Each structure stands twice: as C-alpha cells, then as structure tokens.
Amino acid sequence: MELKEFIKLSVNVLKDKTPYMEQKNLISDIFKKTENILIRLTIIDSLYSTQMNKRLYGLNDLANEIGNRDWDKEIQNFKDNKPNKISKLLDEKYGIKKSGREFGQARSLISKYIYFATNYNFPIEDRLVKKVLNAVLKYFEYSKIDMDKNDILRELIIFCDNCEIKYSDFDNLLWLLGKIKEGSLASIVDKEKYEKIIEKLELSDIAKSKVFDEKMAEKLKNINEIDKIKNLISNDFYEFLKFAKNIKIEK
C-alpha cells in the first residue's frame, strides 16, 4: 500500500459521523459564528485537551498575542522562513504557574487555532503527531524529521507540499494511527460500537485505564483479534487496522 492510499483510508474512517468529526465540525462552526479569539481558543482547548486551562492566564495571554492576522500572508512567510508572526507565536511562553514562574510554549494549541482559522490550511503539531510521524515516514521510505529542532510544522508543510498531500488529510492519518497505537477508540467509533468492540475483545473486566489501553493496543496489532471486530467496523477501518499493525512505533 502506498502512503496516499493509507491516508485515503484514514480520511474515509474519520468522515463517517465519528466523535472526532463531530468535534471538528463543532469547532469549525464556532469559528464561523464568532471572531472572539478567547472563545475560539477555549473551545479548542476543551475539546482537544491541550491543557492551556491549567495555566494561570494562559488562554488570555495567547488570545492577546494572536490578534487578527492575514494568515495566508503569515503562512507563506512561515514557509519561506521569512519574518512572520507564526514563528513568534510558537516561540513565546504563555501563562504562569501558581509560583509566578513562566509555564511554557503552546505549539499544539496555536497550530490548531491556525488550522481552523485557515479552513484546515495549516498542519497540526501535537503529541500524537510527534509519536507516529517518523514511524510513518520511515515505513514509506521518506527522510525522517528531526524532532529536536522545534521545526516540525515547517517540515510538515514542506513534506505535504512536495507530495501534494492536504495538511488535513495527513493529520487524519497521524491522529488515527496515534490513537490506534495507544489503544484508544472512543473518538473513532460511537458508544454502541465501542461497547460491542470491548466485549468482543474481552476487555470489559479491566478497570485500570492504563492497563486497558495497553491491552487494547496489543489486540489491535493482532490480525486474529482484528478479525473479531470486522463486522462491527467499516471496511475502510478494518483495512486501516490490518495495515497499521505493520508500522512500528519507536519508544
């Protein structure tokens, strides 16, 4: 299977009334209905768990810095490594701890804000992307990205542009693969299917969340276990799971 085929499977899996797509559409609707940056950031932070609300004054600090931007111009300058607001936003620190000390950057939340502000015309950088990106690139024989250079977003733009891949489609792949590798299906299937899946996979009696996720992740690497839930999921999801088990994530 080629990379673009794998991406297409992920897009098909997530577009079918999944909790993931419901949340994505909700955020998009909020962006259409209000230009209030603080409200937009708060919704993203809540639904995507970027943890900014745990910082004192974090959301307010970031909202004040973002302001109203010509994002098309800023993105082009960001791509070309010219002076731009995006780089400054990514490098800054937002919010403080109770002790008054600085908290840190907010790259995930910022990338997601620009993603929605531009109708998905900007990549996302978050924990799942960092976890699976190089494993995907390695499997399909592309050059890996240096995660220590803090330049993941620009590298993603270059890669997607060169391969003629939509940022949102590639993000679908990385997000879905990351969730599978972590044994987390709740954002991928509805509640009824989820309950049937854990019953089929004999996971109903595991109480500890971490142990449950580990067991689920292991089962989703096993074709015999995947076959048990074949009738509960779409054919695209079944094919995605069969192929995803071949991609090894380095710890």
Side-chain angles (χ1 to χ4, degrees):
M1 185 182 294
E2 299 295 326
L3 174 59
K4 288 188 177 180
E5 294 177 81
F6 196 33
I7 291 172
K8 185 177 180 180
L9 279 179
S10 69
V11 172
N12 289 341
V13 170
L14 293 177
K15 73 180 183 181
D16 188 25
K17 293 184 178 180
T18 55
Y20 165 89
M21 190 56 67
E22 289 176 358
Q23 291 184 351
K24 181 176 179 179
N25 289 339
L26 175 59
I27 296 172
S28 295
D29 288 343
I30 293 294
F31 269 69
K32 292 174 184 176
K33 291 176 180 178
T34 181
E35 294 185 2
N36 186 299
I37 298 170
L38 182 57
I39 291 175
R40 289 174 166 186
L41 286 171
T42 302
I43 295 298
I44 295 173
D45 187 55
S46 174
L47 293 179
Y48 282 179
S49 301
T50 51
Q51 310 297 316
M52 183 62 89
N53 63 347
K54 294 185 177 180
R55 310 181 187 193
L56 298 180
Y57 313 108
L59 286 166
N60 296 80
D61 286 353
L62 180 54
N64 291 334
E65 284 297 320
I66 286 179
N68 294 315
R69 303 289 165 188
D70 180 350
W71 290 115
D72 290 339
K73 180 180 178 181
E74 295 293 348
I75 290 172
Q76 188 58 55
N77 287 339
F78 181 75
K79 288 180 184 180
D80 298 337
N81 211 12
K82 295 179 180 179
N84 65 90
K85 182 65 176 179
I86 294 174
S87 293
K88 185 174 184 298
L89 286 170
L90 294 170
D91 290 341
E92 288 291 325
K93 296 178 180 179
Y94 305 93
I96 58 174
K97 300 178 181 180
K98 288 184 178 181
S99 63
R101 294 181 180 179
E102 287 184 325
F103 209 106
Q105 296 174 334
R107 299 178 67 89
S108 175
L109 181 53
I110 292 167
S111 67
K112 288 167 182 171
Y113 183 92
I114 302 173
Y115 175 84
F116 283 101
T118 60
N119 196 27
Y120 322 137
N121 194 33
F122 192 76
I124 287 174
E125 175 186 332
D126 62 11
R127 180 182 58 80
L128 289 178
V129 169
K130 292 177 181 178
K131 179 171 184 172
V132 304
L133 174 57
N134 275 334
V136 171
L137 296 178
K138 180 180 179 181
Y139 185 87
F140 290 101
E141 300 182 343
Y142 292 99
S143 298
K144 295 169 70 174
I145 290 175
D146 187 346
M147 296 293 179
D148 296 326
K149 285 188 175 181
N150 238 10
D151 207 20
I152 299 171
L153 289 167
R154 188 175 286 107
E155 293 289 342
L156 280 170
I157 288 173
I158 293 169
F159 175 77
C160 289
D161 286 355
N162 288 342
C163 295
E164 298 183 336
I165 296 169
K166 291 181 179 179
Y167 307 136
S168 58
D169 290 352
F170 196 43
D171 180 68
N172 279 176
L173 170 61
L174 299 177
W175 183 88
L176 182 57
L177 182 62
K179 286 294 185 181
I180 296 304
K181 294 302 181 181
E182 291 189 345
S184 178
L185 298 183
S187 297
I188 305 169
V189 298
D190 62 32
K191 181 180 178 182
E192 183 179 354
K193 285 184 180 178
Y194 181 84
E195 291 174 335
K196 290 179 179 178
I197 287 171
I198 60 176
E199 183 179 354
K200 282 282 187 180
L201 297 180
E202 300 177 350
L203 295 169
S204 304
D205 295 331
I206 301 176
K208 292 185 177 180
S209 179
K210 184 177 180 181
V211 175
F212 180 93
D213 290 345
E214 290 172 351
K215 293 289 186 181
M216 174 68 84
E218 284 301 314
K219 285 179 179 289
L220 295 179
K221 296 176 185 176
N222 186 324
I223 187 59
N224 294 324
E225 299 292 339
I226 295 172
D227 281 342
K228 290 180 181 178
I229 62 173
K230 182 177 181 180
N231 294 332
L232 297 173
I233 59 178
S234 67
N235 186 61
D236 286 322
F237 194 16
Y238 176 71
E239 293 300 325
F240 186 93
L241 289 174
K242 283 203 305 180
F243 191 75
K245 65 183 177 57
N246 300 320
I247 298 179
K248 311 300 180 186
I249 307 298
E250 298 177 3
K251 295 184 179 180

